[in-house]
Amino acid sequence: MSELLKNGETKKEKLKEMLKKLHWGEDEDKVKEEFKDVLQSISPLEIPLIEQELVKEGISSREIARMCDIHVEIFRESVKGAESEVKELPAGHPLRTLYEENIEIMKDAEILNLYASSLLNLEGKNRSNVLRTLESIVRGLKAIGYTHYNREEMIHFPYLERRGPTAVPAVLWRKHDEIRSEINRLLREILKENYEEIGKISQDLASRLIDMVFRENNILYPTLKVLLGEGEFKAIRMLDDEIGYYKIRPGDEWSSNAEPIMPYQIQEEITVEQLMNLPQYLIEEMKSKMGEVKSEPDKTGLIREGDVELEDGYMLPEEISAVFAAMPVDVTFIDKDDRVRFFSGGKRIFTRTTSILGRPVQLCHPPKSVHIVNKILQAFKNGERNRAEFWINMQGRKILIQYFAIHNKEGEYLGALEFTQDVADIKKIEGEKRLLEWR
Amino acid sequence: MSELLKNGETKKEKLKEMLKKLHWGEDEDKVKEEFKDVLQSISPLEIPLIEQELVKEGISSREIARMCDIHVEIFRESVKGAESEVKELPAGHPLRTLYEENIEIMKDAEILNLYASSLLNLEGKNRSNVLRTLESIVRGLKAIGYTHYNREEMIHFPYLERRGPTAVPAVLWRKHDEIRSEINRLLREILKENYEEIGKISQDLASRLIDMVFRENNILYPTLKVLLGEGEFKAIRMLDDEIGYYKIRPGDEWSSNAEPIMPYQIQEEITVEQLMNLPQYLIEEMKSKMGEVKSEPDKTGLIREGDVELEDGYMLPEEISAVFAAMPVDVTFIDKDDRVRFFSGGKRIFTRTTSILGRPVQLCHPPKSVHIVNKILQAFKNGERNRAEFWINMQGRKILIQYFAIHNKEGEYLGALEFTQDVADIKKIEGEKRLLEWR
């Protein structure tokens, strides 16, 4: 660390010189060209430390932020080897998208560090103002967790896992979660206005974010590029949209006519040729974790004989029935002609017997409320309403009865669902009970 | 009404005479034989009025109750025509079961009337005691609604409806509901100790209960006997058990090897021969309501091409997917080998993409909580637990996450279900909002 700092002294002086020139209005491109060497020599991991030093010496946040932008730009231009291959993929390719997000993440990490450092030199109202800005920056960082990281965990990792190296995604996911939890911890300290802790955690968080960018750009993305085929990237491109992106929109340069391939369709092992092209780090990681997590390729097929193909998955009729029966709700479905087609089994609030299958729903209700049933169904069919809700007290229980209009993907009316549950216990729920507290 | 009362004067005198003999210890069978004629001449509808008169003249409740028993017994022996055919069916036949319940209902109606009448002649502590007894009698009557009437509405009526006369079940159901609502009204007046109203409603309720017994024994059951075949009664016998009985257990004299026939399998019209055997009242009712409710037989088949046969119904894969998507909960199913097989579509709390299908659930979780996931699954598989519940706060929402072990009918473990919902709105539900209030 002291080596890094000493080394940083010279770089810091150079950067100060650069900022002065920018301050005096010199042309940005000319300045960039002049200081390219020093900017390139700065590793992303050094940036938070250098920024902090500059803040201590009184350089304004505004000017340092400008430096961040130039640094990121140069860093982006200068990447070499594995990373540069990813960088050069056409806009819209899933790996290029991840890469573009990482540029945003790196910028935000630097800005975070910057604001946190400047906080320590301020007092009173100024400090409060910067704290509010910092808070909004940190709240914004949460989105990294549910877009960028979430896409990797849910979409990209399964493609890697099928081929064997499950340890690599596990390590990354663990680190993602550490970052998520640091963000939450930082938010708590911000609310407590605990300035010392805020400074420490911010710096730590910025380093972690930048470290993750580095790992992804140099290990994960090159690995995926070596292993995955066009059909897989095609599928990823489609699925990515369902989760969303961090501060960018994917471009449309890249497109593919390949048949999308889902992870469960993959039966391939890593070839010798692929292995030779993989980043060295990945191979080391695979070797070291071999004993801990199974690294055999997963060739289990998804679709079994008798499976019903549903919108998002495959289940046997027996499984479908058992799932409905296990749900803590009563479900009854009437089709587009108002006839009862299905009701869930298991312990029910309102008993149903198979004698009502095929029966028009109007004949399943007390005659005096049939006109209301018809009104609701009319509103469902003509699209005026999509739900109707009722609740009643019954022997100390609170029964919530919800009706939902059912449509297919094309928007055609398929029928209506009755969804009934006893919510008495739910109403009593307070506080939190988390997975890790399970005994 | 005055005619009925005048006529009742003589009967009342005769009954008083009978009770005196019983009081003095004369042999019950001998007394019964002697007064058979007068007892047979009393219509069930007269009983409440006569009882009330006797109470006014100071005859004790105990003695009147004894008279009720003898009356019911004689009434039962003396029934003629259509009703007697039902009465003679072997024990366990669904119509015989209904008939046996009606005997209990008639007894209870008479007892209700008796207690309500005696209430008016009492004061102070005695009155309070009788009121408590009356309350428990009335609470007991509620079971008629969810056993005897419910079986008719849910199991027997559909068999009738398929053949055309939908008006007849509708009339009976409306009357059932009037009785249900009178029971609830009576309970409210009992809680208010509003003696005058209690007397009036009890008498009215007793008449309605007895009237219903009469309609069922003389119209509904004979009609079902004429129209339904053995396979239908076989199915009814099986389904009856799912709802339950009023104060009796069906006998086991009757049994059938016929293939059970569900209402939706029926394609038959009423034949001329059947029509000639139907109770006159039913034919009148069918004629008079012909314009109001469609009386054409319903020959719509239940099972369509592509339908998936589930435990309790038939749905197309498209309907199954759409039902899951419309439910206000997120559902994810993992199979017995812990692999993700299905998740529900629609608007979800936690996004899922098809890339996780076939993925071992252990790889779908943050690595630090995998050991808990494994513990829960272990407890599910070895039968120690059947559910695990968690709840967390998320951006002003309260997310309840429940896990359920899934078993088939044979008790084999099929997998586990994740069932997630935002319960913030449910927690705010207060009071009641009933169907009839819908706008």
Side-chain angles (χ1 to χ4, degrees), chain A residues 153-154 161 177 298 300 302 311 314 321 339 341 355 359 366 385 391 393 398 427 429 431-433 439, chain B residues 153-154 161 177 298 300 302 311 314 321 339 341 355 359 366 385 391 393 398 427 429-433 439:
Chain A
E153 291 154 3
M154 290 300 159
E161 292 158 7
D177 272 356
D298 179 0
T300 317
L302 180 67
E311 184 65 32
Y314 297 84
S321 296
R339 286 179 187 267
R341 291 233 136 249
S355 49
R359 194 183 194 190
R385 298 280 184 102
W391 48 93
N393 299 324
K398 190 74 138 188
K427 282 179 63 66
I429 287 175
E432 295 195 307
K433 188 190 169 197
R439 292 289 168 272
Chain B
E153 291 154 3
M154 291 299 161
E161 291 159 6
D177 272 357
D298 179 1
T300 318
L302 180 68
E311 184 64 31
Y314 297 84
S321 296
R339 286 179 188 266
R341 289 234 137 246
S355 49
R359 195 182 194 190
R385 298 281 185 102
W391 48 93
N393 299 325
K398 190 72 132 190
K427 281 177 65 64
I429 286 174
E430 294 298 341
E432 294 195 308
K433 187 191 169 197
R439 293 288 169 268

Short mmCIF file of all heavy atoms in Angstrom, two decimals, chain A residues 153-154 161 177 298 300 302 311 314 321 339 341 355 359 366 385 391 393 398 427 429 431-433 439, chain B residues 153-154 161 177 298 300 302 311 314 321 339 341 355 359 366 385 391 393 398 427 429-433 439:
data_model
loop_
_atom_site.label_atom_id
_atom_site.label_comp_id
_atom_site.label_asym_id
_atom_site.label_seq_id
_atom_site.Cartn_x
_atom_site.Cartn_y
_atom_site.Cartn_z
N GLU A 153 -25.97 -12.87 -12.75
CA GLU A 153 -26.30 -14.01 -11.88
C GLU A 153 -27.39 -14.90 -12.48
O GLU A 153 -27.38 -16.12 -12.31
CB GLU A 153 -26.75 -13.48 -10.51
CG GLU A 153 -25.61 -12.85 -9.72
CD GLU A 153 -26.08 -11.80 -8.72
OE1 GLU A 153 -27.31 -11.59 -8.59
OE2 GLU A 153 -25.22 -11.18 -8.07
N MET A 154 -28.37 -14.26 -13.11
CA MET A 154 -29.56 -15.01 -13.56
C MET A 154 -29.48 -15.46 -15.02
O MET A 154 -30.11 -16.43 -15.41
CB MET A 154 -30.82 -14.16 -13.36
CG MET A 154 -31.19 -13.96 -11.91
SD MET A 154 -31.50 -15.57 -11.09
CE MET A 154 -31.27 -15.09 -9.38
N GLU A 161 -22.17 -22.33 -15.77
CA GLU A 161 -22.36 -23.48 -14.87
C GLU A 161 -22.57 -24.79 -15.63
O GLU A 161 -22.04 -25.83 -15.23
CB GLU A 161 -23.58 -23.23 -13.97
CG GLU A 161 -23.40 -22.12 -12.95
CD GLU A 161 -24.73 -21.55 -12.46
OE1 GLU A 161 -25.80 -22.10 -12.79
OE2 GLU A 161 -24.70 -20.53 -11.74
N ASP A 177 -22.65 -9.69 -3.64
CA ASP A 177 -23.46 -9.55 -2.43
C ASP A 177 -22.76 -8.72 -1.36
O ASP A 177 -23.41 -8.01 -0.60
CB ASP A 177 -23.83 -10.93 -1.87
CG ASP A 177 -25.13 -11.44 -2.49
OD1 ASP A 177 -25.73 -10.68 -3.28
OD2 ASP A 177 -25.54 -12.57 -2.18
N ASP A 298 -22.85 -30.16 -16.67
CA ASP A 298 -24.20 -30.57 -16.30
C ASP A 298 -24.97 -30.85 -17.58
O ASP A 298 -25.28 -29.95 -18.35
CB ASP A 298 -24.84 -29.42 -15.50
CG ASP A 298 -26.26 -29.72 -15.08
OD1 ASP A 298 -26.76 -30.82 -15.40
OD2 ASP A 298 -26.87 -28.86 -14.41
N THR A 300 -27.91 -32.62 -17.72
CA THR A 300 -29.29 -33.03 -17.43
C THR A 300 -30.26 -32.32 -18.37
O THR A 300 -30.25 -31.09 -18.47
CB THR A 300 -29.65 -32.65 -15.99
OG1 THR A 300 -28.56 -32.98 -15.15
CG2 THR A 300 -30.89 -33.37 -15.52
N LEU A 302 -34.01 -30.99 -19.60
CA LEU A 302 -35.10 -30.38 -18.83
C LEU A 302 -36.43 -31.10 -19.07
O LEU A 302 -37.17 -31.37 -18.13
CB LEU A 302 -35.24 -28.91 -19.20
CG LEU A 302 -36.35 -28.14 -18.48
CD1 LEU A 302 -36.05 -28.00 -17.00
CD2 LEU A 302 -36.58 -26.78 -19.11
N GLU A 311 -45.87 -21.43 -20.33
CA GLU A 311 -45.22 -20.19 -20.77
C GLU A 311 -43.78 -20.13 -20.27
O GLU A 311 -42.87 -19.84 -21.03
CB GLU A 311 -46.03 -18.99 -20.25
CG GLU A 311 -45.56 -17.64 -20.70
CD GLU A 311 -45.71 -17.43 -22.19
OE1 GLU A 311 -46.64 -17.99 -22.77
OE2 GLU A 311 -44.86 -16.73 -22.77
N TYR A 314 -41.80 -26.25 -17.61
CA TYR A 314 -42.40 -27.55 -17.93
C TYR A 314 -42.77 -28.24 -16.64
O TYR A 314 -41.95 -28.35 -15.73
CB TYR A 314 -41.40 -28.42 -18.70
CG TYR A 314 -40.98 -27.83 -20.03
CD1 TYR A 314 -39.97 -26.89 -20.11
CD2 TYR A 314 -41.63 -28.21 -21.20
CE1 TYR A 314 -39.59 -26.34 -21.34
CE2 TYR A 314 -41.28 -27.67 -22.42
CZ TYR A 314 -40.25 -26.73 -22.49
OH TYR A 314 -39.89 -26.18 -23.69
N SER A 321 -51.10 -30.17 -10.52
CA SER A 321 -52.16 -30.37 -9.53
C SER A 321 -51.63 -30.21 -8.11
O SER A 321 -52.27 -29.58 -7.26
CB SER A 321 -52.76 -31.77 -9.68
OG SER A 321 -53.39 -31.91 -10.94
N ARG A 339 -67.91 -21.24 -17.70
CA ARG A 339 -68.06 -22.56 -17.09
C ARG A 339 -66.86 -22.91 -16.21
O ARG A 339 -65.72 -22.64 -16.56
CB ARG A 339 -68.21 -23.63 -18.18
CG ARG A 339 -69.58 -23.59 -18.84
CD ARG A 339 -69.71 -24.64 -19.91
NE ARG A 339 -70.96 -24.47 -20.63
CZ ARG A 339 -72.09 -25.11 -20.31
NH1 ARG A 339 -72.11 -25.97 -19.32
NH2 ARG A 339 -73.20 -24.89 -21.00
N ARG A 341 -63.93 -24.81 -14.92
CA ARG A 341 -63.03 -25.75 -15.59
C ARG A 341 -62.08 -26.44 -14.62
O ARG A 341 -61.59 -27.53 -14.87
CB ARG A 341 -62.13 -25.02 -16.60
CG ARG A 341 -62.79 -24.49 -17.77
CD ARG A 341 -62.07 -24.98 -19.04
NE ARG A 341 -63.10 -25.40 -19.97
CZ ARG A 341 -63.31 -26.64 -20.33
NH1 ARG A 341 -62.55 -27.60 -19.88
NH2 ARG A 341 -64.27 -26.93 -21.17
N SER A 355 -68.47 -32.23 -9.04
CA SER A 355 -69.79 -32.10 -9.66
C SER A 355 -70.02 -30.72 -10.27
O SER A 355 -70.92 -30.55 -11.07
CB SER A 355 -70.88 -32.38 -8.62
OG SER A 355 -70.62 -31.64 -7.44
N ARG A 359 -70.07 -26.61 -14.99
CA ARG A 359 -71.30 -25.90 -14.59
C ARG A 359 -71.16 -24.40 -14.87
O ARG A 359 -70.13 -23.82 -14.56
CB ARG A 359 -71.52 -26.12 -13.10
CG ARG A 359 -72.90 -25.76 -12.57
CD ARG A 359 -72.95 -25.96 -11.06
NE ARG A 359 -74.30 -25.95 -10.54
CZ ARG A 359 -74.61 -25.91 -9.24
NH1 ARG A 359 -73.64 -25.92 -8.34
NH2 ARG A 359 -75.86 -25.88 -8.84
N PRO A 366 -75.49 -18.24 -5.09
CA PRO A 366 -76.82 -17.98 -4.57
C PRO A 366 -77.57 -17.09 -5.56
O PRO A 366 -77.02 -16.09 -6.01
CB PRO A 366 -76.57 -17.23 -3.26
CG PRO A 366 -75.17 -17.60 -2.87
CD PRO A 366 -74.44 -17.86 -4.15
N ARG A 385 -62.78 -3.69 -16.43
CA ARG A 385 -62.13 -4.03 -15.16
C ARG A 385 -61.23 -5.24 -15.37
O ARG A 385 -61.45 -6.05 -16.26
CB ARG A 385 -63.17 -4.41 -14.08
CG ARG A 385 -64.14 -3.32 -13.70
CD ARG A 385 -63.53 -2.32 -12.75
NE ARG A 385 -64.53 -1.36 -12.35
CZ ARG A 385 -65.17 -1.38 -11.18
NH1 ARG A 385 -64.88 -2.31 -10.29
NH2 ARG A 385 -66.06 -0.47 -10.88
N TRP A 391 -63.94 -8.92 0.90
CA TRP A 391 -63.42 -9.58 2.09
C TRP A 391 -64.51 -9.71 3.13
O TRP A 391 -65.37 -8.84 3.27
CB TRP A 391 -62.18 -8.87 2.66
CG TRP A 391 -62.29 -7.40 2.83
CD1 TRP A 391 -62.68 -6.72 3.94
CD2 TRP A 391 -61.97 -6.39 1.84
NE1 TRP A 391 -62.63 -5.37 3.71
CE2 TRP A 391 -62.20 -5.14 2.45
CE3 TRP A 391 -61.52 -6.44 0.52
CZ2 TRP A 391 -62.00 -3.93 1.77
CZ3 TRP A 391 -61.33 -5.23 -0.15
CH2 TRP A 391 -61.56 -4.01 0.47
N ASN A 393 -65.59 -11.56 7.17
CA ASN A 393 -65.16 -12.21 8.41
C ASN A 393 -65.86 -13.55 8.52
O ASN A 393 -67.05 -13.65 8.22
CB ASN A 393 -65.52 -11.34 9.61
CG ASN A 393 -64.82 -9.99 9.54
OD1 ASN A 393 -63.69 -9.90 9.09
ND2 ASN A 393 -65.50 -8.95 9.98
N LYS A 398 -60.25 -13.97 8.39
CA LYS A 398 -60.52 -12.86 7.48
C LYS A 398 -60.30 -13.41 6.08
O LYS A 398 -59.18 -13.72 5.70
CB LYS A 398 -59.51 -11.74 7.78
CG LYS A 398 -59.78 -10.43 7.09
CD LYS A 398 -60.95 -9.72 7.70
CE LYS A 398 -60.79 -8.23 7.88
NZ LYS A 398 -61.92 -7.69 8.67
N LYS A 427 -52.15 -10.52 8.30
CA LYS A 427 -52.38 -9.20 8.91
C LYS A 427 -51.55 -9.01 10.18
O LYS A 427 -51.30 -7.89 10.59
CB LYS A 427 -53.87 -9.00 9.20
CG LYS A 427 -54.68 -8.64 7.95
CD LYS A 427 -56.16 -8.47 8.24
CE LYS A 427 -56.47 -7.34 9.18
NZ LYS A 427 -56.17 -6.01 8.63
N ILE A 429 -48.40 -10.07 10.61
CA ILE A 429 -46.97 -10.04 10.33
C ILE A 429 -46.38 -8.66 10.63
O ILE A 429 -46.90 -7.65 10.19
CB ILE A 429 -46.71 -10.41 8.85
CG1 ILE A 429 -46.92 -11.89 8.65
CG2 ILE A 429 -45.30 -10.01 8.42
CD1 ILE A 429 -46.81 -12.33 7.20
N GLY A 431 -42.40 -6.47 11.28
CA GLY A 431 -40.95 -6.52 11.19
C GLY A 431 -40.47 -7.38 10.03
O GLY A 431 -41.09 -7.39 8.98
N GLU A 432 -39.37 -8.09 10.24
CA GLU A 432 -38.81 -8.92 9.19
C GLU A 432 -38.42 -10.27 9.76
O GLU A 432 -38.10 -10.40 10.94
CB GLU A 432 -37.56 -8.27 8.57
CG GLU A 432 -37.85 -6.96 7.85
CD GLU A 432 -36.68 -6.54 6.95
OE1 GLU A 432 -35.54 -6.48 7.44
OE2 GLU A 432 -36.93 -6.30 5.76
N LYS A 433 -38.45 -11.28 8.91
CA LYS A 433 -37.87 -12.58 9.27
C LYS A 433 -37.13 -13.05 8.04
O LYS A 433 -37.75 -13.39 7.03
CB LYS A 433 -38.96 -13.57 9.67
CG LYS A 433 -38.36 -14.86 10.23
CD LYS A 433 -39.39 -15.93 10.41
CE LYS A 433 -38.71 -17.26 10.69
NZ LYS A 433 -39.61 -18.39 10.48
N ARG A 439 -34.40 -21.49 11.49
CA ARG A 439 -33.93 -22.56 12.38
C ARG A 439 -34.73 -23.82 12.12
O ARG A 439 -35.93 -23.78 12.07
CB ARG A 439 -34.15 -22.16 13.85
CG ARG A 439 -33.28 -21.02 14.32
CD ARG A 439 -31.80 -21.42 14.46
NE ARG A 439 -30.96 -20.24 14.63
CZ ARG A 439 -30.42 -19.54 13.63
NH1 ARG A 439 -30.62 -19.90 12.38
NH2 ARG A 439 -29.67 -18.48 13.86
N GLU B 153 -76.90 -28.06 -3.21
CA GLU B 153 -76.56 -26.98 -4.14
C GLU B 153 -75.37 -27.34 -5.03
O GLU B 153 -75.31 -26.98 -6.19
CB GLU B 153 -76.25 -25.69 -3.35
CG GLU B 153 -77.47 -25.08 -2.69
CD GLU B 153 -77.15 -24.25 -1.45
OE1 GLU B 153 -75.95 -24.09 -1.13
OE2 GLU B 153 -78.08 -23.76 -0.80
N MET B 154 -74.39 -28.02 -4.43
CA MET B 154 -73.14 -28.26 -5.14
C MET B 154 -73.08 -29.63 -5.83
O MET B 154 -72.35 -29.81 -6.79
CB MET B 154 -71.95 -28.14 -4.18
CG MET B 154 -71.71 -26.73 -3.71
SD MET B 154 -71.33 -25.64 -5.13
CE MET B 154 -71.68 -24.04 -4.39
N GLU B 161 -79.81 -29.63 -13.29
CA GLU B 161 -79.62 -28.53 -14.25
C GLU B 161 -79.28 -29.04 -15.65
O GLU B 161 -79.76 -28.49 -16.65
CB GLU B 161 -78.49 -27.62 -13.76
CG GLU B 161 -78.81 -26.82 -12.51
CD GLU B 161 -77.57 -26.34 -11.77
OE1 GLU B 161 -76.44 -26.54 -12.29
OE2 GLU B 161 -77.71 -25.78 -10.66
N ASP B 177 -81.09 -19.83 1.18
CA ASP B 177 -80.38 -18.62 1.58
C ASP B 177 -81.21 -17.75 2.52
O ASP B 177 -80.68 -17.08 3.40
CB ASP B 177 -79.95 -17.81 0.35
CG ASP B 177 -78.59 -18.26 -0.15
OD1 ASP B 177 -78.00 -19.14 0.51
OD2 ASP B 177 -78.12 -17.74 -1.17
N ASP B 298 -78.55 -29.17 -21.09
CA ASP B 298 -77.20 -28.64 -21.33
C ASP B 298 -76.32 -29.81 -21.76
O ASP B 298 -76.02 -30.70 -20.97
CB ASP B 298 -76.70 -28.01 -20.02
CG ASP B 298 -75.30 -27.45 -20.14
OD1 ASP B 298 -74.72 -27.54 -21.23
OD2 ASP B 298 -74.81 -26.91 -19.12
N THR B 300 -73.27 -29.46 -23.29
CA THR B 300 -71.90 -29.03 -23.53
C THR B 300 -70.90 -30.01 -22.92
O THR B 300 -70.98 -30.31 -21.72
CB THR B 300 -71.66 -27.65 -22.90
OG1 THR B 300 -72.79 -26.83 -23.16
CG2 THR B 300 -70.41 -27.00 -23.44
N LEU B 302 -67.18 -31.22 -21.52
CA LEU B 302 -66.19 -30.51 -20.71
C LEU B 302 -64.81 -30.53 -21.36
O LEU B 302 -64.12 -29.53 -21.40
CB LEU B 302 -66.12 -31.13 -19.31
CG LEU B 302 -65.11 -30.48 -18.36
CD1 LEU B 302 -65.55 -29.07 -17.99
CD2 LEU B 302 -64.94 -31.32 -17.10
N GLU B 311 -55.94 -32.83 -11.35
CA GLU B 311 -56.63 -33.51 -10.26
C GLU B 311 -58.12 -33.12 -10.23
O GLU B 311 -58.98 -33.98 -10.13
CB GLU B 311 -55.95 -33.14 -8.93
CG GLU B 311 -56.48 -33.83 -7.71
CD GLU B 311 -56.25 -35.33 -7.74
OE1 GLU B 311 -55.25 -35.77 -8.33
OE2 GLU B 311 -57.09 -36.06 -7.19
N TYR B 314 -59.87 -29.58 -15.96
CA TYR B 314 -59.18 -29.65 -17.24
C TYR B 314 -58.85 -28.23 -17.68
O TYR B 314 -59.72 -27.37 -17.69
CB TYR B 314 -60.06 -30.31 -18.29
CG TYR B 314 -60.42 -31.74 -17.97
CD1 TYR B 314 -61.49 -32.04 -17.13
CD2 TYR B 314 -59.67 -32.79 -18.48
CE1 TYR B 314 -61.80 -33.36 -16.81
CE2 TYR B 314 -59.97 -34.11 -18.17
CZ TYR B 314 -61.04 -34.39 -17.34
OH TYR B 314 -61.35 -35.69 -17.03
N SER B 321 -50.92 -21.36 -17.94
CA SER B 321 -49.92 -20.28 -17.90
C SER B 321 -50.57 -18.95 -17.54
O SER B 321 -50.05 -18.18 -16.73
CB SER B 321 -49.22 -20.15 -19.25
OG SER B 321 -48.50 -21.32 -19.55
N ARG B 339 -34.22 -28.88 -9.11
CA ARG B 339 -34.03 -28.04 -10.30
C ARG B 339 -35.27 -27.19 -10.59
O ARG B 339 -36.39 -27.66 -10.46
CB ARG B 339 -33.73 -28.91 -11.52
CG ARG B 339 -32.32 -29.47 -11.49
CD ARG B 339 -32.04 -30.35 -12.69
NE ARG B 339 -30.76 -31.01 -12.54
CZ ARG B 339 -29.62 -30.52 -13.04
NH1 ARG B 339 -29.61 -29.38 -13.71
NH2 ARG B 339 -28.48 -31.17 -12.85
N ARG B 341 -38.15 -25.77 -12.46
CA ARG B 341 -38.94 -26.34 -13.56
C ARG B 341 -39.92 -25.33 -14.13
O ARG B 341 -40.36 -25.44 -15.26
CB ARG B 341 -39.81 -27.51 -13.07
CG ARG B 341 -39.10 -28.73 -12.72
CD ARG B 341 -39.69 -29.93 -13.47
NE ARG B 341 -38.57 -30.70 -13.93
CZ ARG B 341 -38.26 -30.86 -15.19
NH1 ARG B 341 -39.01 -30.33 -16.13
NH2 ARG B 341 -37.21 -31.56 -15.52
N SER B 355 -33.64 -18.45 -18.44
CA SER B 355 -32.29 -18.99 -18.32
C SER B 355 -32.10 -19.81 -17.04
O SER B 355 -31.15 -20.58 -16.94
CB SER B 355 -31.27 -17.85 -18.34
OG SER B 355 -31.65 -16.84 -17.44
N ARG B 359 -31.93 -25.14 -13.78
CA ARG B 359 -30.78 -24.81 -12.93
C ARG B 359 -31.00 -25.35 -11.53
O ARG B 359 -32.10 -25.20 -10.97
CB ARG B 359 -30.67 -23.28 -12.88
CG ARG B 359 -29.35 -22.74 -12.34
CD ARG B 359 -29.42 -21.22 -12.29
NE ARG B 359 -28.11 -20.61 -12.10
CZ ARG B 359 -27.91 -19.32 -11.83
NH1 ARG B 359 -28.94 -18.50 -11.73
NH2 ARG B 359 -26.71 -18.85 -11.66
N PRO B 366 -27.82 -16.51 -3.53
CA PRO B 366 -26.54 -15.95 -3.09
C PRO B 366 -25.78 -17.04 -2.32
O PRO B 366 -26.37 -17.70 -1.46
CB PRO B 366 -26.95 -14.81 -2.15
CG PRO B 366 -28.34 -14.46 -2.56
CD PRO B 366 -28.96 -15.73 -3.08
N ARG B 385 -40.50 -30.94 7.97
CA ARG B 385 -41.23 -29.68 7.80
C ARG B 385 -42.03 -29.74 6.51
O ARG B 385 -41.70 -30.46 5.58
CB ARG B 385 -40.25 -28.49 7.67
CG ARG B 385 -39.39 -28.25 8.89
CD ARG B 385 -40.13 -27.52 9.98
NE ARG B 385 -39.22 -27.22 11.08
CZ ARG B 385 -38.68 -26.02 11.28
NH1 ARG B 385 -38.98 -25.01 10.48
NH2 ARG B 385 -37.86 -25.82 12.29
N TRP B 391 -40.31 -12.93 5.81
CA TRP B 391 -40.89 -11.69 5.29
C TRP B 391 -39.87 -10.57 5.43
O TRP B 391 -39.08 -10.54 6.38
CB TRP B 391 -42.21 -11.34 5.98
CG TRP B 391 -42.21 -11.41 7.48
CD1 TRP B 391 -41.97 -10.41 8.36
CD2 TRP B 391 -42.50 -12.57 8.30
NE1 TRP B 391 -42.09 -10.85 9.65
CE2 TRP B 391 -42.42 -12.16 9.65
CE3 TRP B 391 -42.84 -13.91 7.99
CZ2 TRP B 391 -42.64 -13.05 10.70
CZ3 TRP B 391 -43.05 -14.77 9.06
CH2 TRP B 391 -42.95 -14.35 10.39
N ASN B 393 -38.98 -6.21 4.34
CA ASN B 393 -39.47 -4.92 3.89
C ASN B 393 -38.69 -4.54 2.64
O ASN B 393 -37.48 -4.74 2.57
CB ASN B 393 -39.26 -3.86 4.97
CG ASN B 393 -40.02 -4.20 6.23
OD1 ASN B 393 -41.12 -4.76 6.17
ND2 ASN B 393 -39.43 -3.89 7.38
N LYS B 398 -44.23 -4.95 1.82
CA LYS B 398 -43.97 -6.04 2.77
C LYS B 398 -44.04 -7.33 1.98
O LYS B 398 -45.13 -7.73 1.53
CB LYS B 398 -45.06 -5.99 3.85
CG LYS B 398 -44.84 -6.88 5.04
CD LYS B 398 -43.73 -6.37 5.93
CE LYS B 398 -44.06 -6.32 7.39
NZ LYS B 398 -43.02 -5.60 8.14
N LYS B 427 -52.50 -6.14 4.58
CA LYS B 427 -52.42 -5.76 6.00
C LYS B 427 -53.35 -4.60 6.34
O LYS B 427 -53.72 -4.41 7.49
CB LYS B 427 -50.97 -5.41 6.37
CG LYS B 427 -50.10 -6.66 6.59
CD LYS B 427 -48.65 -6.31 6.88
CE LYS B 427 -48.45 -5.56 8.18
NZ LYS B 427 -48.81 -6.33 9.36
N ILE B 429 -56.43 -4.19 5.14
CA ILE B 429 -57.85 -4.55 5.02
C ILE B 429 -58.54 -4.54 6.38
O ILE B 429 -58.05 -5.12 7.33
CB ILE B 429 -57.98 -5.96 4.38
CG1 ILE B 429 -57.67 -5.87 2.90
CG2 ILE B 429 -59.38 -6.52 4.60
CD1 ILE B 429 -57.65 -7.23 2.23
N GLU B 430 -59.66 -3.83 6.46
CA GLU B 430 -60.45 -3.81 7.70
C GLU B 430 -61.91 -4.05 7.36
O GLU B 430 -62.34 -3.79 6.24
CB GLU B 430 -60.30 -2.46 8.41
CG GLU B 430 -58.91 -2.15 8.94
CD GLU B 430 -58.39 -3.13 9.99
OE1 GLU B 430 -59.22 -3.84 10.59
OE2 GLU B 430 -57.17 -3.20 10.19
N GLY B 431 -62.68 -4.51 8.35
CA GLY B 431 -64.12 -4.68 8.17
C GLY B 431 -64.45 -5.71 7.11
O GLY B 431 -63.76 -6.71 6.96
N GLU B 432 -65.50 -5.44 6.36
CA GLU B 432 -65.93 -6.37 5.32
C GLU B 432 -66.28 -5.59 4.06
O GLU B 432 -66.65 -4.43 4.11
CB GLU B 432 -67.17 -7.15 5.76
CG GLU B 432 -66.91 -8.08 6.93
CD GLU B 432 -68.02 -9.10 7.11
OE1 GLU B 432 -69.20 -8.68 7.19
OE2 GLU B 432 -67.72 -10.31 7.17
N LYS B 433 -66.11 -6.26 2.91
CA LYS B 433 -66.64 -5.72 1.66
C LYS B 433 -67.26 -6.89 0.92
O LYS B 433 -66.55 -7.79 0.49
CB LYS B 433 -65.53 -5.08 0.84
CG LYS B 433 -66.09 -4.35 -0.39
CD LYS B 433 -65.01 -3.94 -1.35
CE LYS B 433 -65.64 -3.48 -2.64
NZ LYS B 433 -64.68 -3.45 -3.74
N ARG B 439 -69.70 -2.24 -7.03
CA ARG B 439 -70.18 -1.21 -7.98
C ARG B 439 -69.30 -1.23 -9.20
O ARG B 439 -68.10 -1.23 -9.10
CB ARG B 439 -70.11 0.19 -7.34
CG ARG B 439 -71.06 0.39 -6.19
CD ARG B 439 -72.51 0.50 -6.65
NE ARG B 439 -73.42 0.44 -5.50
CZ ARG B 439 -73.95 -0.70 -5.04
NH1 ARG B 439 -73.70 -1.84 -5.63
NH2 ARG B 439 -74.76 -0.68 -4.00
#
